[in-house]
Every structure is written in structure tokens, then in C-alpha cells.
Amino acid sequence: MRLFHICTISNKLDQYQEMKTSFLEAGFDEIRCRYSLFDNSKTNIFDPYQTFNKIMLNTVEPYIIFCHQDILLNQGNGIDYLINLLEDLEQLDPKWAVAGNAGVNNNYRFVVKITDPNNFPNWSGDFPQLVHSLDENLLVIKTGATISSSKELKGFHFYATDLCLNAICNGHSCYVINFHITHLSGGIPSANKDYRDVQDVFYKKWCNKFNFRYIRTITGVTMCLSRYRMLRAIGSREKVANFFIAQNRLHPFVNPR
């Protein structure tokens, strides 16, 4: 029985092949795994938001791995180790839906288990860590949770945070697990027009879902989400945002509606 559906949107097929080889060498063979490549090498046909929803509809395996092309499983953690981590997570919290290796916990602290050019310090606390936001480089999704990306969003940014918020609003939870890989890029996108455009649409969509809440992404973006214009204006002020973030905890009135 296949356990994992490993899905990657790639615009550099040689890099994808290097990634896949590292998965195979880490035990993710094609007996226990199905690989799906979404080829953007000529043009951006595949959008992560829409592509993930199609993957979810066409996956029978218990887990989806939705990952970047520029990762390598070369840190000694293979398929059996990941299976054990997921089994332990299921015992801890049967309502989990998404797991990753880098995110932001409910104390607004970065939780990271990765090797990349940024030399991000790896988390020294306990795993798994409950988070409200994850990085896109590697996502493990429990198919049975039947979560989805927001249909009205598109682009190549914020889709992991969107997936986490959709999971949380539907009664599920998200975690960073102790699964160490190498990410060949730094993972911090430049704030170009495309990035800002996606952020604007993401912000407008999610403001309508919350009374008042702060979220932080692994790229360091902090957003005050509220359906109320005045609360957004006040909460987005740097001093106010810094006050709430400095409390190192989610307050009761900033949780989802």
C-alpha cells in the first residue's frame, strides 16, 4: 500500500530530479510512494493554491507531501522516521492536519528544523510544536482531514499559511515536527510586486474571517486580521502589534470567530 503522494511544482527539472533522487535514497521508494510532477519549466501553468486542491481530490494515499523542488533529504531522516513521527503525532493530537519543518508557534516564536543558506538556528525546545503558520518548503498533509486552499487565492506566496488557517478554522491543528532536511534556498522571498499583490489579496480574504487576530509567517510578515476597519487600523500600528507579539501568547479575544 502506498502511504505518501509526493507532489512538486517545478520550473527546474534537473533540480526536481535531484530532489526526487534524495527522496528515493531516503527510502521513499515507488512501492510506498507515488510521485507527481507539475511541470512549470516552460510557463507557469500550475498555481500552488489550485494545484493543491486538485491533488487533494485525486489522492488515495493517507498522506500528501507537497514540497519545493529545491530540498534534499540528506540529513539522515528517512521514510521510516517520518512514519514514526506521524504516528506519534496522531497519538498526541488526532485532529492534526498539516505538519512541516518550519513555522511560527502560538507564542509567535519561529520553530525551525532545517539546514539552509540563512543558517536559521534550529529549535532547541520540544517537538512537535503547535503552530499557526508554516513554511512551504515541505508540507505533510493528512488526506483524511480533507482540508483545502482558498479558492479565491492564487500565486506562489502565503499558500502554506492559508492552508494552516483553513485547517485551524475547520477544527484541525498544525505542527512543526522534528524532520530535518536541507533547503537549498534561503526561503525569504523578495517583496516584489507579485509578492505584495498576493499578500494584499490574502490579507483581504482572511480579515473577513476573524474578529481580531495576529498571525506571523516564517518570512517575518506580521498581520493584524480583523473584519472591523477600526480594529485593523489600531492593531496594525507598530507599537500595538509589538505589544501583543511581546506577550508571547495568543489572547482569548484574538482567536478565530
Side-chain angles (χ1 to χ4, degrees):
M1 174 185 174
R2 285 176 173 167
L3 295 176
F4 295 97
H5 186 192
I6 302 170
C7 304
T8 310
I9 298 172
S10 175
N11 62 356
K12 297 179 180 178
L13 299 185
D14 55 340
Q15 195 170 62
Y16 169 78
Q17 191 56 53
E18 185 179 8
M19 180 221 82
K20 183 178 178 180
T21 298
S22 77
F23 269 82
L24 292 170
E25 291 175 349
F28 290 82
D29 56 73
E30 298 194 58
I31 296 174
R32 291 186 285 179
C33 305
R34 171 163 62 115
Y35 288 83
S36 291
L37 166 64
F38 299 89
D39 187 353
N40 274 358
S41 59
K42 293 183 180 179
T43 186
N44 286 336
I45 302 171
F46 297 104
D47 167 273
Y49 290 92
Q50 298 174 19
T51 299
F52 176 78
N53 289 341
K54 291 177 181 177
I55 291 168
M56 180 61 79
L57 290 173
N58 292 284
T59 296
V60 296
E61 293 80 6
Y63 305 109
I64 296 166
I65 295 179
F66 196 36
C67 63
H68 283 183
Q69 64 189 0
D70 61 344
I71 64 170
L72 297 173
L73 271 63
N74 60 359
Q75 297 291 335
N77 294 166
I79 187 170
D80 294 327
Y81 181 73
L82 180 58
I83 291 170
N84 288 335
L85 288 178
L86 298 178
E87 288 176 347
D88 290 345
L89 185 57
E90 186 73 22
Q91 290 292 318
L92 174 71
D93 182 0
K95 291 187 176 181
W96 80 272
V98 192
N101 58 17
V104 183
N105 68 15
N106 288 345
N107 294 328
Y108 299 105
R109 297 182 66 186
F110 296 116
V111 182
V112 179
K113 191 64 177 181
I114 199 167
T115 295
D116 71 4
N118 286 336
N119 293 317
F120 230 122
N122 283 320
W123 179 253
S124 58
D126 295 332
F127 286 102
Q129 279 282 317
L130 188 68
V131 296
H132 64 264
S133 177
L134 285 165
D135 186 71
E136 285 98 0
N137 78 91
L138 180 85
L139 300 170
V140 182
I141 300 98
K142 183 166 63 175
T143 310
T146 61
I147 61 171
S148 61
S149 297
S150 297
K151 295 179 180 179
E152 60 268 53
L153 299 183
K154 62 181 180 179
F156 289 83
H157 308 289
F158 299 99
Y159 60 90
T161 301
D162 174 73
L163 202 60
C164 289
L165 292 178
N166 274 311
I168 292 166
C169 288
N170 283 283
H172 298 288
S173 48
C174 306
Y175 287 87
V176 168
I177 55 176
N178 189 14
F179 192 69
H180 192 184
I181 68 164
T182 297
H183 191 195
L184 299 178
S185 73
I188 307 296
S190 59
N192 55 25
K193 184 178 184 302
D194 178 62
Y195 183 89
R196 292 192 298 271
D197 288 346
V198 175
Q199 182 177 345
D200 287 345
V201 178
F202 174 93
Y203 183 73
K204 291 174 184 177
K205 181 261 188 302
W206 280 107
C207 275
N208 291 326
K209 297 293 183 181
F210 294 96
N211 288 328
F212 188 76
R213 176 172 180 159
Y214 287 97
I215 64 164
R216 174 177 277 181
T217 71
I218 194 68
T219 58
V221 174
T222 301
M223 302 183 202
C224 173
L225 304 180
S226 175
R227 56 173 50 85
Y228 304 111
R229 182 180 297 178
M230 182 173 292
L231 286 181
R232 288 200 305 270
I234 295 171
S236 295
R237 294 175 181 172
E238 186 175 357
K239 287 185 178 180
V240 176
N242 288 342
F243 169 80
F244 279 102
I245 299 300
Q247 303 305 305
N248 286 330
R249 63 186 177 89
L250 286 175
H251 296 265
F253 62 91
V254 301
N255 285 329
R257 181 182 180 184

